[in-house]
Amino acid sequence: MAVERTFLMVKPDGVQRGLIGEIVSRFEKKGFKLINAKLIQVSEDLAKSHYADLSDKPFFGELTEFISSSPVFGMVWEGDNVISTARAMMGATNPAAAVPGTIRNDYAISMGMNIIHGSDSPESAEREIGLWFDGETLSYDKAINKWI
Ligand code: DAT
Ligand code: MG
């Protein structure tokens, strides 16, 4: 399995609802390694750059306004296949279609406020880690890793 890095973000609704700890806990308990994190008040420019691929969608304005409306909690996580596994743990984009036990099914109802973002490919992960953290992450060993 390939060791990957991914960018995850607790969106403004998740931060406001006090879900940062719950979400961090899920990825910690799974066995992934946190290698950077920060609370950020997002500018409209950063929100637009982050979601540039969706700039032609009718909901783009609403989306970028939402992301910059209140702080988000950005994180970089590392582990085997963390990109696709994190997406599976998040659940489908539309919480109504997300499988029970996923973050979006457990905590969200509407498509707009779906609690969490996660990179969808190795290319977008590297782009997003560059955009949000200047590509900087920590490298350290966790003794527990031999049990995961
Ligand atoms: P994901 O967040 O699952 O990667 P995406 O990249 O397609 O989904 O879209 C980014 C966000 O935009 C998504 O989390 C919620 C919002 N969004 C997507 N499709 C939408 C739609 N049809 N109407 C309203 N908001 C939408
Ligand atoms: Mg996406």
Side-chain angles (χ1 to χ4, degrees), residues 5 11 14 22-23 26 34 40-41 44 50 54 61 66 68 72 77 93 95 101-102 120 132 136 143:
R5 301 192 298 175
K11 295 182 180 180
E22 167 65 27
I23 289 170
R26 286 189 181 214
L34 185 64
I40 314 161
Q41 176 61 58
E44 287 261 355
H50 174 71
L54 301 174
F66 165 57
S68 53
V72 303
W77 288 86
T93 305
T102 61
D120 62 9
W132 292 85
E136 284 176 21

Side-chain angles (χ1 to χ4, degrees), residues 38 70 84 98:
K38 64 180 170 185
S70 185
S84 62

Side-chain angles (χ1 to χ4, degrees), residues 72-122:
V72 303
F73 190 68
M75 302 163 277
V76 186
W77 288 86
E78 183 181 86
D80 286 341
N81 293 322
V82 68
I83 298 170
S84 62
T85 304
R87 294 281 301 186
M89 291 167 67
M90 288 161 49
T93 305
N94 183 352
V99 172
T102 61
I103 293 166
R104 284 165 167 173
N105 178 280
D106 286 354
Y107 300 115
I109 294 171
S110 74
M111 179 92 99
M113 296 198 184
N114 60 6
I115 306 285
I116 183 166
H117 165 84
S119 308
D120 62 9
S121 69

